[in-house]
Amino acid sequence: MVSILSSFESRLMKLENSIIPVHKQTENLQRLQENVEKTLSCLDHVISYYHVAKDTEKIIKEGPTGRLEEYLSCMDKIQKAVEYFQDNNPDSPELNRVKSLFERGKESLESEFRSLMTRHTKPVPPILILDLISGDEEMDTQEEMSLEHLPESVLHDIIRISGWLVENGRNQDFMTVYFQIRSVQLDRSIKGLKDHFRKNSSSSGVPYSPAIQNKRKDTPTKKPIKRPGTIRKAQNLLKQYSQHGLDGKKGASNLIPMEGHEHDLRVKHLSDALGDKHGLPAGRDDVFDIEIDAYIHCVSAFVKLAQSEYQLLTEIVPEHHQKKTFDSLIQESLDNLIMEGDNIVSAARKAIIRHDYSAVLTIFPILKHLKQMKPEFDQVLQGTAAGTKNKLPGLITSMETTGAKALEEFADNIKNDPDKEYNMPKDGTVHELTSNAILFLQQLLDFQETAGAMLASQETSSSASSYSSEFSRRLLSTYICKVLGNLQLNLLSKSKVYEDPALSAIFLHNNYNYILKSLEKSELIQLVAVTQKTAERSYRELIEQQIQTYQRSWLKVTDYILERNLPVFQPGVKLKDKERQMIKERFKGFNDGLEELCKIQKAWAIPDMEQRDKICRAQKTIVKETYGAFLNKYGNVPFTKNPEKYIKYQVDQVGEMIEKLFDTSA
């Protein structure tokens, strides 16, 4: 067994000694094979870089149009080849070749970016903009409108190209291309809206799309965008009054405070008459209406379009460049908008220099809208440069300053209006200065906060710094009271032009009554009451004073027939010649005075029918009672052989004559 085992051990040792070298040799051969394979693989990899230029050149030359993903894949290969040669063989001619190809490919991508942006960027149609503006008020939140600036497939390509250029091209030129193209589009969209207004607004109002009109029918509680047309009409009338005086009964007797259709007809008639008389171009106020309307809508359009542009920009431009690119994109449109606003302010300033204070009415609706839009403006411009953010506040400040100056100068002009004899109404009716002032003040009602803020902006007191709507309302109330006070002083001065104190009283009565009725028919009386609680009572007292002054004009008629001025005689006793003569003189004096006063006062005017009836009724009662007593006492006394010569009128006839006062048609 020992021998057998020893033999096995010997054989195993021989076997081991023969196998181990073979094993080691095999390992070496395997390692050599792996090294050869790796070397071949590396060679293939290196050789592939030498073939990149040849393999991709055709695609790069043809450009990325229609096969963007394939093109970008080629660009990635070229970029890797560039990196390889730069690291391993910087002096290789191949490096220059792939570098050149890479630059050409990058330029093609930039060109494709520009081409896609140019081809597919179009101005937003005005109808869509109007729908977008009105969408806030007219549509439910679920149906919030958004604009599709670029087709989805095009947008996808643009986003891919911009992403590649930022990551691999280290190039920001495409952002400049982007904001330049979109900036032009934004500006053209807003200008297109303005042109649309000029073409369509005059005939058909604000031209919304059928979709919005249908929405409006379904939601009657929604208010349409308010147009400042009435402001312009009032301004037009004011302007015409300030430039062309009307005399006599053609004066402001047409401006009695009335309501409804009759008032509209009279104002229209007056406006047309002035237009015909002075050759004013037809439809000029409509043009102004459209310009104001267009500007207000362009402001809203800018905000909405800028918001939409920013949403688009965030998808295309890298985050750290978004604010700067957006700032550049909106500059041209914002500058044009601000410049147009400055032109409006400049025109208003020139008008104020010419003492045409009605021009400030143009500013009110625009300023009101700008202040309403300011929070949205600030939100849109968040992150832009300080100069961009300050443009709108600068325009608002400029408008407030100009408006406040116009308001103050208007108040001073009311006080110092020099015309006394010129354009004084011969019939004592409402003076055009009164109607102008009231018309002007009434326009402030729709813009109370705006006007109050205008006045508050000029205050330097500590209360102004803690500016509130209540403070602004008190300022506006003080201002209106100041205008009314100045108007009253001027009217008193003008009334002295009349030689007849009675006509002077009728003139003041008409004007005070017009002021009071106008205040009562609008909210002006509530505004005045903020600082002047007794204003209404004061005007009623002034009106009553003028009625009493007017009634004194009849004393020279009634004095003839007052009993205290007549002789006392006994019934049945024959009258003396002196007494008969005195009675004749009394009758004659009364008749002549009555006829003269009726003739003169018939041509005077009291436009307010209620006041006219009240004054005539009171006067009729006084005169009829006095004359009735006189006639009853002396009508049957034999003071003359021709009683019909002296007793010309019966009591009722006298009443009828007085009823026809202040009525030229009677």
Side-chain angles (χ1 to χ4, degrees):
M1 288 295 290
V2 169
S3 171
I4 291 166
L5 288 170
S6 297
S7 172
F8 268 118
E9 185 179 2
S10 172
R11 286 180 183 178
L12 283 170
M13 284 182 67
K14 286 179 184 178
L15 184 63
E16 187 177 342
N17 289 333
S18 62
I19 287 174
I20 285 173
V22 171
H23 180 68
K24 286 182 179 179
Q25 194 174 0
T26 303
E27 276 187 347
N28 288 335
L29 286 171
Q30 284 177 337
R31 192 176 296 111
L32 283 170
Q33 186 181 358
E34 284 175 6
N35 287 341
V36 167
E37 285 175 356
K38 284 181 180 177
T39 303
L40 287 172
S41 176
C42 284
L43 279 171
D44 286 342
H45 184 64
V46 170
I47 290 167
S48 72
Y49 288 128
Y50 285 86
H51 292 153
V52 163
K54 181 183 174 185
D55 293 343
T56 60
E57 190 169 17
K58 183 183 177 188
I59 293 173
I60 298 301
K61 280 183 178 178
E62 289 174 356
T65 307
R67 51 176 175 188
L68 182 63
E69 293 302 328
E70 184 185 0
Y71 194 89
L72 291 178
S73 175
C74 289
M75 288 298 291
D76 289 340
K77 289 178 184 175
I78 296 169
Q79 188 174 21
K80 286 174 184 174
V82 170
E83 289 168 1
Y84 170 79
F85 288 123
Q86 281 177 335
D87 292 340
N88 299 288
N89 194 359
D91 298 326
S92 164
E94 285 296 327
L95 174 61
N96 293 331
R97 190 178 176 193
V98 288
K99 260 189 174 181
S100 170
L101 203 57
F102 184 78
E103 288 301 319
R104 183 191 291 181
K106 194 167 73 170
E107 286 172 10
S108 292
L109 282 171
E110 289 173 358
S111 177
E112 178 71 2
F113 183 89
R114 180 188 291 274
S115 175
L116 286 173
M117 288 295 302
T118 305
R119 280 204 317 272
H120 297 282
T121 294
K122 293 180 175 62
V124 183
I127 292 295
L128 277 184
I129 298 175
L130 287 168
D131 289 354
L132 192 67
I133 294 170
S134 62
D136 287 347
E137 298 176 8
E138 303 297 338
M139 292 194 169
D140 298 332
T141 49
Q142 294 101 342
E143 298 182 57
E144 187 176 344
M145 285 192 63
S146 60
L147 296 174
E148 186 184 78
H149 292 287
L150 298 166
E152 195 171 337
S153 59
V154 174
L155 180 61
H156 174 266
D157 286 355
I158 287 172
I159 292 170
R160 287 285 287 127
I161 293 171
S162 70
W164 191 93
L165 287 172
V166 169
E167 190 177 341
N168 304 297
R170 297 173 188 81
N171 189 331
Q172 297 177 13
D173 290 348
F174 78 95
M175 294 181 218
T176 305
V177 170
Y178 177 83
F179 85 68
Q180 285 174 344
I181 292 172
R182 296 304 300 176
S183 175
V184 170
Q185 178 270 346
L186 177 61
D187 194 47
R188 285 172 62 195
S189 297
I190 294 173
K191 284 178 178 173
L193 177 65
K194 193 185 300 179
D195 293 339
H196 187 68
F197 261 91
R198 287 172 180 162
K199 289 175 187 173
N200 298 293
S201 288
S202 57
S203 59
S204 58
V206 181
Y208 294 94
S209 76
I212 291 300
Q213 288 169 351
N214 292 336
K215 293 280 176 202
R216 291 185 163 198
K217 288 174 190 172
D218 296 336
T219 53
T221 54
K222 300 288 183 186
K223 291 182 180 178
I225 294 174
K226 186 170 184 180
R227 298 185 66 201
T230 52
I231 299 296
R232 177 56 62 184
K233 283 172 189 165
Q235 178 183 348
N236 200 32
L237 283 171
L238 279 171
K239 197 168 187 177
Q240 290 168 342
Y241 289 145
S242 67
Q243 292 171 355
H244 311 291
L246 299 177
D247 57 345
K249 286 184 289 300
K250 290 182 183 176
S253 58
N254 278 333
L255 290 164
I256 57 173
M258 295 184 293
E259 293 180 54
H261 184 62
E262 188 179 357
H263 173 64
D264 293 339
L265 283 176
R266 288 212 180 184
V267 170
K268 184 178 185 303
H269 170 73
L270 181 61
S271 179
D272 292 346
L274 284 165
D276 294 341
K277 182 176 178 182
H278 302 292
L280 297 171
R284 186 179 62 175
D285 46 345
D286 287 336
V287 173
F288 284 134
D289 267 356
I290 294 162
E291 290 299 324
I292 295 172
D293 248 4
Y295 185 72
I296 286 173
H297 280 78
C298 284
V299 170
S300 298
F302 172 81
V303 172
K304 292 294 178 189
L305 292 174
Q307 287 171 342
S308 185
E309 285 294 338
Y310 189 73
Q311 289 171 0
L312 179 67
L313 178 138
T314 54
E315 296 185 69
I316 297 171
V317 176
E319 188 175 352
H320 53 289
H321 290 291
Q322 285 170 4
K323 294 293 183 185
K324 186 179 177 183
T325 306
F326 180 68
D327 196 342
S328 302
L329 191 155
I330 60 170
Q331 277 306 313
E332 186 177 357
S333 296
L334 182 59
D335 285 346
N336 287 340
L337 214 56
I338 299 299
M339 184 174 71
E340 200 169 335
D342 287 337
N343 289 341
I344 291 168
V345 173
S346 178
R349 284 187 185 132
K350 287 175 184 173
I352 292 164
I353 292 170
R354 298 193 307 269
H355 303 293
D356 173 18
Y357 305 106
S358 61
V360 75
L361 297 175
T362 309
I363 291 177
F364 276 108
I366 295 172
L367 179 57
K368 181 180 180 180
H369 188 69
L370 288 178
K371 294 183 93 168
Q372 286 173 343
M373 294 299 295
K374 189 175 181 297
E376 283 191 70
F377 248 98
D378 293 343
Q379 189 179 2
V380 169
L381 302 182
Q382 195 175 4
T384 57
T388 305
K389 288 179 186 171
N390 293 334
K391 284 177 181 177
L392 182 72
L395 177 60
I396 288 175
T397 302
S398 177
M399 283 191 169
E400 283 188 332
T401 305
T402 303
K405 183 182 178 186
L407 290 176
E408 290 302 327
E409 288 199 16
F410 178 77
D412 293 340
N413 188 62
I414 291 292
K415 182 179 180 180
N416 303 318
D417 177 43
D419 298 333
K420 287 186 179 178
E421 294 182 17
Y422 169 72
N423 202 26
M424 283 295 286
K426 293 182 176 65
D427 56 2
T429 188
V430 181
H431 196 279
E432 68 184 65
L433 182 70
T434 305
S435 56
N436 284 355
I438 294 298
L439 199 56
F440 187 89
L441 293 178
Q442 284 173 340
Q443 303 315 309
L444 301 184
L445 286 175
D446 287 335
F447 305 98
Q448 293 180 38
E449 284 187 28
T450 308
M454 273 182 183
L455 297 167
S457 69
Q458 305 307 301
E459 293 288 317
T460 53
S461 62
S462 57
S463 56
S465 59
S466 58
Y467 156 67
S468 67
S469 58
E470 185 55 36
F471 173 72
S472 145
R473 189 172 166 81
R474 289 190 68 80
L475 275 179
L476 185 58
S477 175
T478 305
Y479 172 76
I480 290 171
C481 292
K482 178 182 176 181
V483 172
L484 293 174
N486 290 352
L487 178 60
Q488 190 176 332
L489 288 171
N490 201 323
L491 289 171
L492 275 170
S493 174
K494 288 183 186 302
S495 69
K496 292 170 185 173
V497 169
Y498 296 112
E499 295 178 2
D500 190 334
L503 180 54
S504 178
I506 289 295
F507 171 77
L508 289 175
H509 163 275
N510 283 334
N511 282 273
Y512 292 153
N513 183 61
Y514 177 83
I515 293 168
L516 178 61
K517 286 289 172 71
S518 299
L519 293 178
E520 288 175 335
K521 287 191 177 184
S522 63
E523 292 175 26
L524 279 172
I525 195 71
Q526 285 94 327
L527 258 181
V528 169
V530 172
T531 51
Q532 292 285 341
K533 304 285 186 191
T534 60
E536 193 171 353
R537 190 179 70 199
S538 300
Y539 274 112
R540 293 196 188 285
E541 289 172 358
L542 286 169
I543 291 167
E544 201 53 45
Q545 284 172 16
Q546 299 311 318
I547 292 174
Q548 290 171 9
T549 303
Y550 161 73
Q551 286 174 341
R552 284 199 285 273
S553 70
W554 281 84
L555 290 177
K556 62 184 179 183
V557 176
T558 54
D559 274 356
Y560 281 106
I561 53 175
L562 287 176
E563 193 171 340
R564 67 172 182 268
N565 298 328
L566 293 169
V568 180
F569 61 92
Q570 297 296 323
V573 178
K574 189 178 179 182
L575 293 174
K576 297 174 185 176
D577 289 346
K578 184 179 178 183
E579 289 172 339
R580 283 199 299 272
Q581 187 60 34
M582 185 177 286
I583 293 171
K584 287 178 184 178
E585 286 174 359
R586 299 301 181 195
F587 268 110
K588 188 175 186 305
F590 173 78
N591 293 336
D592 291 348
L594 176 68
E595 289 166 0
E596 184 187 358
L597 274 189
C598 285
K599 182 182 176 183
I600 293 170
Q601 294 184 7
K602 199 179 206 181
W604 297 354
I606 298 180
D608 188 326
M609 296 302 293
E610 187 183 335
Q611 284 291 310
R612 177 182 173 279
D613 292 344
K614 175 186 170 184
I615 291 171
C616 288
R617 196 163 52 245
Q619 199 58 53
K620 184 171 74 170
T621 303
I622 296 168
V623 177
K624 276 178 73 176
E625 284 179 2
T626 311
Y627 182 62
F630 177 76
L631 194 60
N632 190 46
K633 191 168 187 178
Y634 296 101
N636 297 321
V637 173
F639 65 90
T640 177
K641 292 178 181 178
N642 302 306
E644 68 279 353
K645 180 179 176 183
Y646 297 97
I647 307 174
K648 293 172 71 173
Y649 304 105
Q650 294 302 312
V651 175
D652 288 342
Q653 286 178 303
V654 170
E656 287 171 6
M657 290 172 72
I658 294 173
E659 281 179 357
K660 293 175 182 176
L661 296 177
F662 316 113
D663 187 0
T664 53
S665 63

